[in-house]
Amino acid sequence: MAVSETGKRSKGGSQTKGAIVGGFLAPHPPHLVYGENPPQNEPRSRGGWESLRWAYENCRARIKELKPDVILVHSPHWQTVVGHHVLAAPRLAGRSVDPIFPHLFRYEYGFDVDVELARVIVEEAQAAGLESKLMQNPRFRVDYGTIVSLHMLNPNWDIPVVGISANNSPYFYDDKTGEEEMTRLGRATARAIERTGRRAVLAASVTLSHLHFSEEPNQKLPEDMSREHVFSQAQYEWDVRMINLLRDGKVDEFFEVMPDFCREAFAEVKAGSLTWMLEAMGRPRYPAKLHGYGTVIGTGNAVMEWTPPAAGAGTATGVNL
Amino acid sequence: MTIVARAWVSSAPQLLKPELNPDYAALVDGYGKVREDFAAKGVERIVYWSTQWLSVLGQMYQAGSELKGVHVDENWHDLGDLPFDFRVDRDLAAALCRAGEEAGFPGQTVDYRGFPVDTATIIADRLLNQERLPVTMVACNVYCDGAKTRAFSEVLSKLLMARPEKIGVVAVSHVTTSYHTVAIDLREDRIRGEAEQQFLTDFAGALTGARWQDLDGLFRDCLGSIRNDMGLKALEWLAGTMPQGLFQAPWKIHAKGALYGAAGMVASITA
C-alpha cells in the first residue's frame, strides 16, 4: 500500500481520508505497569490496582478490533515552554525511569514513530497559528507518562506512535489560554490525520483528581491495596461528577466546570491532554464508555473510551477501505 | 572539614552557546569566577540542590553508582546532546539521607541506572566542576515551603560541617521564570518583563549591599506578581547552610542575564 504526502492509498488505489477511530482517557500512574510485571519493567510486584488494569485490558481488546495505523498520545510529563513539540525520530528506544517512583518503574521501551504524521501535525499546528516543533533527536528520553499510557493500551508496541508534548500555557498563562491552545492543537491534529489517511487512536494521558499522599502508605509493600484509597471525599465526588458528565455525553458542561475541577481537585486534565483529544474528536456529544475507575496513591483515575458511532471494528468514519 | 564555599548558579542549555549572546557569555564567565573561588578554598566535594530536580514523596539524594549517559533536554532537544559522567559520593548521600530521616525529613537515596538527572545540574556541573570532583545532589521538595526548606538545609548542613572533606554547596536556580513562549533568535534574548528586570535589579542590589532586611519587603511586594523559580527557595536553602542560618557578608554577584527570557544569576556567597 503506497503512502503519499497527503493521504494513504487503499489497496484499490483510491485516495483514503483518515479518521480518528477511537479515543481513550489513559492515565499513566507507573503503579499500573508495576502491578502487571511485564518483562520490560525491572521491579517486581505482587500485583495491585487490578480494577484499573482490568479496565485497560478492555482497551487493549478494543484497539485490536479498531486496527489503527497509529496511536497518538498527549502527555503532561513532557512539558514544553515554547509551543507544542511532536516526536519525530523514526525509532525511539531507551530506559525510562520514573523520577518520583524509581523503585516502581524502570522500563525498557522501544517503538516506531509515524514521522510523516508528526510532520503534518506540526504543519497544521503552525498553519493554525500555534508554535510547534518536531523533536528529531534519536537519543531523546521519552517521558514516563507517554510510556505508561502506551504500554497499558498496547503492550506489544506493534503500532506506530506519535507523541505530543503538553505546552505549559495553562500554567504559564491561564486556563482560558491553555484551553484555546489545546483546542487549536486538537483540531490541527484531526486535520493532519485526515490529510495523511491514517486510522488513528488518540490517548489523553491524564489522571482526574490529582491530590495525593505525600508519603507511600506502606513503603515496604507499595502494592498494599488495604492502604489505597481516594485522597478525600470531595475529590472523589468531583471525579464522579466529571465521569458522569462524560458518560452522559455532556461534554460542553464538562468543559464549563473543568476550571473549577482543576482548581479544587488539582486535576491533571489542566495540562490539556483531554481537551486536545476531545477537540480532535469534534467534542463528542455521545456517551463515553467507562472501563474502570480507581485510585493510585490517592489520585483519581478513570479509563474511558470514545468510539465514533460509525467506527466499529475494522471500519471508520470517512475511511474508504 | 566543613562547608567552605557556597554559590548560586542559574543553568540552562543556552549557556552552551555563549558566543550567541553577551548575557550567556557573562554567565559562563561567572561560573569561571565561582570555579576559581572553589579552587582557592580547596573544595573537595560539591553538593547540588536544583529547582529542576523535584521530589514529591519526601526528600531524595543522588547516590548513583554509575551516573553517566547522554541527556537530551525536553525543551531544547535541538541544541544537542548533553553527555554526563558524575563521580557520586554515595557515602555522603547516604549520610545526608540518614541525617534528614533522624530530623524528621523522610527520604531516600537513588541509585538506579537511567535515573533522569536534570538538565540544569548537568550543565552547572559541566561549567563548574571541570576537575570532576565527587558530588551528590539533593532534590527540591515541592511540598517544602521556604521555612521548611531552610530547616531541612540546616539539618543537612550540620552534617556537612562535621564532614572530613571541604565542601562546596551550590543552589541551582533561576531568579525569574518569564520564559519567551515563542521561538526567538538567541542573539536577541533579553529578560522578559519590566517587572522581572526591576525585581532582578532590586534582588541583586539587596544581596550585594547586604541589605537582608530589604528582601522581606521585596518578596512580599513582588513574589506574588512575577514569575519566579520555586518561590526563590534557593535563598532559603543557602541560608540554611550559613553559620547561624544567616547571611552576613555581601554576596559577590558575578553575572546576571537572560536565559530564554528568564533571569539568571551566578554568585558566590561568603560566610
Side-chain angles (χ1 to χ4, degrees), chain B residues 51-77:
Chain B
T51 57
Q52 286 190 28
W53 181 22
L54 300 180
S55 68
V56 174
L57 302 176
Q59 313 299 333
M60 287 179 133
Y61 310 83
Q62 181 55 255
S65 48
E66 202 181 344
L67 198 62
K68 60 184 177 183
V70 175
H71 175 70
V72 177
D73 186 67
E74 296 84 354
N75 281 279
W76 288 284
H77 35 78

CSV table of all heavy atoms in Angstrom, one decimal, chain B residues 51-77:
chain,number,residue,atom,x,y,z
B,51,THR,N,16.4,23.3,41.6
B,51,THR,CA,15.0,23.5,41.4
B,51,THR,C,14.4,22.7,40.2
B,51,THR,O,13.2,22.7,40.1
B,51,THR,CB,14.6,25.0,41.2
B,51,THR,OG1,15.3,25.5,40.1
B,51,THR,CG2,14.9,25.8,42.5
B,52,GLN,N,15.3,22.1,39.5
B,52,GLN,CA,14.8,21.3,38.3
B,52,GLN,C,14.8,19.8,38.7
B,52,GLN,O,14.5,19.0,37.8
B,52,GLN,CB,15.6,21.6,37.1
B,52,GLN,CG,15.3,22.9,36.5
B,52,GLN,CD,15.9,23.1,35.1
B,52,GLN,OE1,16.1,22.2,34.4
B,52,GLN,NE2,16.1,24.4,34.7
B,53,TRP,N,15.3,19.5,39.9
B,53,TRP,CA,15.1,18.1,40.3
B,53,TRP,C,14.1,18.1,41.4
B,53,TRP,O,14.4,18.6,42.5
B,53,TRP,CB,16.4,17.4,40.8
B,53,TRP,CG,16.2,16.0,41.2
B,53,TRP,CD1,15.1,15.2,40.8
B,53,TRP,CD2,17.0,15.2,42.1
B,53,TRP,NE1,15.3,14.0,41.5
B,53,TRP,CE2,16.4,14.0,42.2
B,53,TRP,CE3,18.2,15.5,42.8
B,53,TRP,CZ2,16.9,13.0,43.0
B,53,TRP,CZ3,18.7,14.5,43.6
B,53,TRP,CH2,18.1,13.2,43.7
B,54,LEU,N,12.9,17.7,41.2
B,54,LEU,CA,11.8,17.9,42.1
B,54,LEU,C,11.5,16.5,42.8
B,54,LEU,O,11.4,15.5,42.1
B,54,LEU,CB,10.5,18.4,41.4
B,54,LEU,CG,10.7,19.7,40.7
B,54,LEU,CD1,9.4,20.1,40.0
B,54,LEU,CD2,11.1,20.8,41.7
B,55,SER,N,11.3,16.6,44.1
B,55,SER,CA,10.9,15.4,44.8
B,55,SER,C,9.5,15.7,45.3
B,55,SER,O,9.1,16.8,45.6
B,55,SER,CB,11.8,15.0,45.9
B,55,SER,OG,11.8,15.9,46.9
B,56,VAL,N,8.7,14.6,45.4
B,56,VAL,CA,7.3,14.7,45.8
B,56,VAL,C,7.1,13.9,47.1
B,56,VAL,O,6.5,14.3,48.1
B,56,VAL,CB,6.4,14.2,44.7
B,56,VAL,CG1,4.9,14.2,45.2
B,56,VAL,CG2,6.5,15.1,43.5
B,57,LEU,N,7.6,12.6,47.1
B,57,LEU,CA,7.4,11.7,48.2
B,57,LEU,C,8.7,11.9,49.1
B,57,LEU,O,9.6,11.1,49.0
B,57,LEU,CB,7.2,10.3,47.8
B,57,LEU,CG,6.1,10.0,46.8
B,57,LEU,CD1,6.1,8.6,46.4
B,57,LEU,CD2,4.8,10.4,47.5
B,58,GLY,N,8.7,12.8,50.0
B,58,GLY,CA,9.8,13.0,50.8
B,58,GLY,C,11.0,13.6,50.1
B,58,GLY,O,10.9,14.1,49.0
B,59,GLN,N,12.2,13.4,50.7
B,59,GLN,CA,13.4,14.0,50.1
B,59,GLN,C,14.2,12.9,49.3
B,59,GLN,O,14.0,11.7,49.5
B,59,GLN,CB,14.4,14.5,51.2
B,59,GLN,CG,13.7,15.3,52.3
B,59,GLN,CD,13.1,16.6,51.8
B,59,GLN,OE1,13.5,17.1,50.8
B,59,GLN,NE2,12.0,17.1,52.5
B,60,MET,N,15.0,13.4,48.3
B,60,MET,CA,15.7,12.5,47.5
B,60,MET,C,17.2,12.9,47.4
B,60,MET,O,17.5,14.1,47.4
B,60,MET,CB,15.2,12.3,46.1
B,60,MET,CG,13.9,11.6,46.0
B,60,MET,SD,13.2,11.5,44.3
B,60,MET,CE,12.8,9.8,44.2
B,61,TYR,N,18.1,12.0,47.4
B,61,TYR,CA,19.5,12.2,47.4
B,61,TYR,C,20.1,11.3,46.3
B,61,TYR,O,19.9,10.1,46.3
B,61,TYR,CB,20.2,11.9,48.7
B,61,TYR,CG,19.5,12.5,49.9
B,61,TYR,CD1,18.4,11.9,50.5
B,61,TYR,CD2,19.9,13.7,50.5
B,61,TYR,CE1,17.7,12.4,51.5
B,61,TYR,CE2,19.3,14.2,51.6
B,61,TYR,CZ,18.1,13.6,52.1
B,61,TYR,OH,17.5,14.1,53.2
B,62,GLN,N,21.0,11.9,45.4
B,62,GLN,CA,21.6,11.1,44.4
B,62,GLN,C,22.7,10.3,44.9
B,62,GLN,O,23.7,10.8,45.5
B,62,GLN,CB,22.0,12.1,43.3
B,62,GLN,CG,22.7,11.4,42.1
B,62,GLN,CD,21.8,10.4,41.4
B,62,GLN,OE1,22.0,9.2,41.5
B,62,GLN,NE2,20.7,10.8,40.7
B,63,ALA,N,22.6,9.0,44.7
B,63,ALA,CA,23.7,8.1,45.1
B,63,ALA,C,24.0,7.1,44.0
B,63,ALA,O,24.3,5.9,44.2
B,63,ALA,CB,23.2,7.3,46.3
B,64,GLY,N,23.9,7.6,42.7
B,64,GLY,CA,24.1,6.7,41.6
B,64,GLY,C,25.5,6.2,41.5
B,64,GLY,O,26.5,6.9,41.5
B,65,SER,N,25.6,4.8,41.4
B,65,SER,CA,26.9,4.2,41.3
B,65,SER,C,27.5,4.3,39.9
B,65,SER,O,28.7,4.1,39.7
B,65,SER,CB,26.8,2.7,41.8
B,65,SER,OG,25.8,2.1,41.2
B,66,GLU,N,26.6,4.5,39.0
B,66,GLU,CA,27.0,4.6,37.6
B,66,GLU,C,26.2,5.7,36.9
B,66,GLU,O,25.4,5.4,36.0
B,66,GLU,CB,26.8,3.2,36.9
B,66,GLU,CG,27.6,3.0,35.7
B,66,GLU,CD,27.3,1.7,35.0
B,66,GLU,OE1,26.6,0.8,35.6
B,66,GLU,OE2,27.6,1.5,33.8
B,67,LEU,N,26.5,6.9,37.3
B,67,LEU,CA,25.6,8.0,36.9
B,67,LEU,C,26.3,8.7,35.6
B,67,LEU,O,26.9,9.7,35.7
B,67,LEU,CB,25.5,9.0,38.0
B,67,LEU,CG,24.3,10.0,37.9
B,67,LEU,CD1,23.0,9.2,37.8
B,67,LEU,CD2,24.3,11.0,39.0
B,68,LYS,N,26.1,8.0,34.5
B,68,LYS,CA,26.6,8.6,33.3
B,68,LYS,C,25.7,8.2,32.1
B,68,LYS,O,24.9,7.3,32.2
B,68,LYS,CB,28.0,8.0,33.0
B,68,LYS,CG,28.1,6.5,32.9
B,68,LYS,CD,29.6,6.2,32.7
B,68,LYS,CE,29.8,4.6,32.6
B,68,LYS,NZ,31.2,4.2,32.5
B,69,GLY,N,25.8,9.0,31.1
B,69,GLY,CA,25.0,8.7,29.9
B,69,GLY,C,24.9,9.9,29.1
B,69,GLY,O,25.8,10.8,29.1
B,70,VAL,N,23.8,10.0,28.3
B,70,VAL,CA,23.6,11.2,27.4
B,70,VAL,C,22.2,11.7,27.7
B,70,VAL,O,21.2,10.9,27.6
B,70,VAL,CB,23.7,10.8,25.9
B,70,VAL,CG1,23.4,12.0,25.0
B,70,VAL,CG2,25.2,10.3,25.6
B,71,HIS,N,22.1,12.9,28.0
B,71,HIS,CA,20.8,13.5,28.3
B,71,HIS,C,20.5,14.4,27.1
B,71,HIS,O,21.3,15.1,26.5
B,71,HIS,CB,20.9,14.3,29.6
B,71,HIS,CG,19.7,15.1,29.9
B,71,HIS,ND1,18.5,14.5,30.3
B,71,HIS,CD2,19.4,16.4,29.9
B,71,HIS,CE1,17.6,15.4,30.5
B,71,HIS,NE2,18.1,16.6,30.3
B,72,VAL,N,19.2,14.5,26.8
B,72,VAL,CA,18.7,15.4,25.8
B,72,VAL,C,17.6,16.3,26.5
B,72,VAL,O,16.6,15.7,27.1
B,72,VAL,CB,18.1,14.7,24.6
B,72,VAL,CG1,17.5,15.7,23.6
B,72,VAL,CG2,19.2,13.8,23.9
B,73,ASP,N,17.7,17.5,26.4
B,73,ASP,CA,16.7,18.4,27.1
B,73,ASP,C,15.3,18.3,26.5
B,73,ASP,O,15.1,18.2,25.3
B,73,ASP,CB,17.2,19.9,27.0
B,73,ASP,CG,16.3,20.8,27.9
B,73,ASP,OD1,16.3,20.6,29.1
B,73,ASP,OD2,15.6,21.6,27.3
B,74,GLU,N,14.3,18.3,27.4
B,74,GLU,CA,12.9,18.2,27.0
B,74,GLU,C,12.5,19.3,26.1
B,74,GLU,O,11.6,19.1,25.2
B,74,GLU,CB,12.0,18.1,28.2
B,74,GLU,CG,12.3,16.9,29.1
B,74,GLU,CD,13.4,17.1,30.1
B,74,GLU,OE1,14.1,18.2,30.1
B,74,GLU,OE2,13.6,16.3,31.0
B,75,ASN,N,13.0,20.5,26.3
B,75,ASN,CA,12.6,21.7,25.5
B,75,ASN,C,13.5,22.0,24.4
B,75,ASN,O,13.1,22.2,23.3
B,75,ASN,CB,12.5,22.9,26.4
B,75,ASN,CG,11.3,22.9,27.3
B,75,ASN,OD1,10.2,23.3,26.8
B,75,ASN,ND2,11.3,22.5,28.5
B,76,TRP,N,14.8,22.0,24.7
B,76,TRP,CA,15.8,22.4,23.7
B,76,TRP,C,16.6,21.2,23.2
B,76,TRP,O,17.8,21.2,23.3
B,76,TRP,CB,16.7,23.5,24.3
B,76,TRP,CG,15.9,24.8,24.4
B,76,TRP,CD1,15.6,25.6,23.4
B,76,TRP,CD2,15.3,25.3,25.6
B,76,TRP,NE1,14.8,26.7,23.9
B,76,TRP,CE2,14.6,26.5,25.2
B,76,TRP,CE3,15.2,25.0,26.9
B,76,TRP,CZ2,13.9,27.3,26.1
B,76,TRP,CZ3,14.5,25.7,27.8
B,76,TRP,CH2,13.8,26.9,27.4
B,77,HIS,N,15.9,20.2,22.7
B,77,HIS,CA,16.5,19.0,22.2
B,77,HIS,C,17.3,19.2,21.0
B,77,HIS,O,18.1,18.4,20.6
B,77,HIS,CB,15.4,17.9,22.0
B,77,HIS,CG,14.1,18.5,21.5
B,77,HIS,ND1,13.9,18.9,20.2
B,77,HIS,CD2,12.9,18.8,22.1
B,77,HIS,CE1,12.7,19.3,20.0
B,77,HIS,NE2,12.1,19.3,21.2
